[in-house]
């Protein structure tokens, strides 16, 4: 729906009125959904705000940041789609931004720079996430929360601990957005397998940093038996290092903002579909899980009216993937524990 909404909006161009676009993209029975983007003036946030404005499932779009949000909101609000846009700036307006939200997307934080790992971002972004989640627990405790702020392997556990302390934690409503790993795996696989990328699906499990990212190319569809073990190993490595590839290509002037915004918008769209009762919505996400010994793990999850309806198993793994799974568990465990420890510090 998100892809078609963007395509339809572009095709209509400036000659379409808002009422024409709205009437074609949603019916009067479409539920009203308020979505907040926290960090809306940042590199990911601006593009993500644009994409959410194009989503016909969004009726209210709440944009928040510590600075610059009024301009972003004014700009995005001129787009002739369904949602009404409001911009909020500064901590004193955070509550208004969150009140009544069905979905909160958090791309807030500092971006990666050359030589930085996701773990290097921890101290700054962890504090930001802790503060935002405290506000969410107060103003919209029943909202679905999509965590983009890195390191996701730690920020999701931080959020869970904040919600537990406030008595609002519902494991079904907290997601680490790992969709960019899936998007990259699909793109890279399609290029090597010489298949239509629009038809490709590749599950990606584990976490959202380095070796904790484990694409399951043995389960990719359509299956390409022509790919050698060496090619699959290289595809796995490139998927794991995709963020570094972009950081280095931008030569210190940014990280993966555009592709991350796209991936974040795709996952948000899936969450909204689930909330609206669309059946069989399945995406990969980093959630509370019992499919390994770790308390959080990324795998395919079925989305529904309560968020996570079912955490799906890993399925059959190749020998290489089994080795990758064993290798990632200690690092992922350390990141999870680091987040929990930070959240419980006074």
């Amino acid at each position: 729906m998100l892809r078609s909404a963007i395509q339809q909006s572009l095709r209509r161009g400036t000659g379409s009125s808002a009422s024409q676009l709205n009437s074609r993209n949603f019916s009067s029975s479409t539920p009203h959904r308020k979505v907040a983007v926290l960090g809306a003036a940042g590199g990911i946030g601006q593009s993500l705000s644009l994409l959410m404005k194009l989503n016909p499932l969004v009726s209210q779009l709440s944009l928040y940041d510590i600075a610059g949000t009024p301009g972003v909101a004014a700009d995005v609000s001129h787009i002739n789609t369904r949602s009404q846009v409001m911009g909020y700036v500064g901590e004193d307006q955070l509550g208004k931004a969150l009140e009544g939200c069905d979905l909160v997307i958090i791309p807030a934080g500092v971006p990666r720079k050359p030589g930085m790992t996701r773990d290097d971002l921890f101290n700054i972004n962890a504090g930001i996430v802790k503060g935002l989640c405290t506000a969410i627990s107060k103003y919209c405790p029943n909202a679905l929360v999509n965590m983009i702020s890195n390191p996701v392997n730690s920020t999701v556990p931080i959020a869970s601990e904040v919600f537990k302390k406030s008595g609002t934690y519902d494991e079904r409503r907290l997601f680490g957005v790992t969709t960019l790993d899936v998007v990259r795996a699909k793109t890279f696989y399609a290029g090597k397998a010489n298949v239509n990328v629009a038809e490709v699906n590749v599950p990606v499990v584990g976490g959202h940093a380095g070796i904790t990212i484990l694409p399951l190319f043995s389960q990719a569809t359509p299956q390409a038996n022509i790919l050698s073990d060496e090619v699959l190993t290289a595809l796995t490595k490139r998927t794991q290092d995709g963020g570094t590839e972009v950081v280095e290509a931008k030569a210190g002037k940014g990280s993966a903002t555009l592709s991350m915004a796209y991936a974040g918008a795709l996952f948000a769209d899936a969450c909204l579909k689930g909330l609206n009762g669309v059946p069989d919505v399945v995406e990969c996400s980093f959630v509370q899980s019992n499919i390994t010994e770790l308390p959080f793990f990324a795998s395919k999850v079925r989305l529904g009216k309560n968020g996570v309806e079912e955490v799906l198993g890993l399925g059959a793994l190749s020998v290489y993937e089994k080795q990758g799974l064993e290798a990632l568990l200690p690092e992922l465990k350390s990141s999870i524990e680091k987040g929990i420890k930070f959240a419980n510090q006074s």
Side-chain angles (χ1 to χ4, degrees):
M1 179 175 288
L2 178 61
R3 294 184 184 92
S4 62
I6 295 171
Q7 292 166 352
Q8 289 169 12
S9 297
L10 292 175
R11 281 199 299 268
R12 290 190 183 105
T14 59
S16 292
S17 68
S19 60
Q20 286 176 316
L21 185 139
N22 288 348
S23 65
R24 295 180 191 181
N25 274 346
F26 75 99
S27 68
S28 59
S29 62
T30 302
H32 288 274
R33 297 296 182 190
K34 181 178 179 181
V35 176
V37 178
L38 307 185
I44 297 170
Q46 291 196 40
S47 300
L48 180 58
S49 298
L50 167 63
L51 292 173
M52 296 314 297
K53 182 70 171 83
L54 296 177
N55 191 316
L57 299 181
V58 181
S59 57
Q60 287 181 269
L61 184 58
S62 178
L63 306 182
Y64 171 82
D65 214 319
I66 57 172
T69 336
V72 176
D75 196 355
V76 171
S77 71
H78 292 178
I79 297 170
N80 58 323
T81 55
R82 176 194 185 193
S83 56
Q84 300 298 309
V85 181
M86 292 293 293
Y88 301 92
V89 62
E91 291 186 15
D92 59 330
Q93 295 186 10
L94 179 55
K96 289 183 179 180
L98 291 172
E99 285 176 349
C101 280
D102 299 286
L103 173 65
V104 179
I105 313 172
I106 310 179
V110 298
R112 292 177 68 194
K113 297 178 182 178
M116 290 180 71
T117 66
R118 285 183 175 88
D119 201 51
D120 291 330
L121 306 178
F122 180 82
N123 287 329
I124 297 174
N125 288 356
I128 293 171
V129 165
K130 189 174 182 179
L132 293 175
C133 288
T134 299
I136 290 169
S137 68
K138 181 177 180 180
Y139 294 104
C140 56
N142 296 318
L144 301 190
V145 177
N146 289 1
M147 186 67 67
I148 293 175
S149 303
N150 276 317
V152 166
N153 293 351
S154 297
T155 55
V156 169
I158 288 170
S160 72
E161 293 299 307
V162 171
F163 295 147
K164 285 175 184 177
K165 286 183 179 181
S166 67
T168 63
Y169 182 53
D170 183 344
E171 68 273 14
R172 301 172 298 176
R173 297 178 178 274
L174 175 60
F175 303 87
V177 179
T178 61
T179 312
L180 181 52
D181 301 325
V182 177
V183 166
R184 285 171 171 153
K186 289 179 178 181
T187 301
F188 303 157
Y189 175 86
K192 289 294 184 181
N194 195 28
V195 294
N196 182 357
V197 69
E199 299 175 356
V200 170
N201 192 25
V202 182
V204 181
V205 303
H208 184 57
I211 67 165
T212 71
I213 301 168
L214 182 62
L216 303 182
F217 289 114
S218 69
Q219 298 178 25
T221 55
Q223 188 58 243
N225 296 322
I226 60 172
L227 298 183
S228 66
D229 290 343
E230 290 77 14
V231 169
L232 292 175
T233 299
L235 286 174
T236 299
K237 180 67 172 173
R238 190 179 180 197
T239 303
Q240 292 172 339
D241 294 342
T244 301
E245 181 178 318
V246 175
V247 168
E248 292 178 349
K250 290 189 175 182
K253 296 182 180 179
S255 58
T257 54
L258 302 174
S259 53
M260 184 63 250
Y262 170 75
L266 285 182
F267 188 73
D269 182 65
C271 287
L272 291 170
K273 288 176 180 175
L275 286 175
N276 290 351
V278 176
D280 298 320
V281 179
V282 176
E283 295 287 342
C284 292
S285 183
F286 186 66
V287 297
Q288 181 171 311
S289 172
N290 59 10
I291 64 174
T292 70
E293 66 265 31
L294 301 182
F296 296 92
F297 198 81
S299 67
K300 290 191 290 187
V301 300
R302 192 181 312 280
L303 301 170
K305 293 183 177 180
N306 296 305
V308 176
E309 298 291 347
E310 183 183 8
V311 178
L312 304 177
L314 297 178
L317 305 181
S318 69
V319 173
Y320 176 73
E321 290 162 357
K322 288 179 181 177
Q323 293 172 343
L325 178 61
E326 288 301 313
L328 73 83
L329 290 174
E331 183 166 328
L332 183 53
K333 179 181 179 181
S334 176
S335 296
I336 293 170
E337 291 176 345
K338 186 174 184 180
I340 292 172
K341 180 179 178 181
F342 178 89
N344 289 315
Q345 292 173 346
S346 57

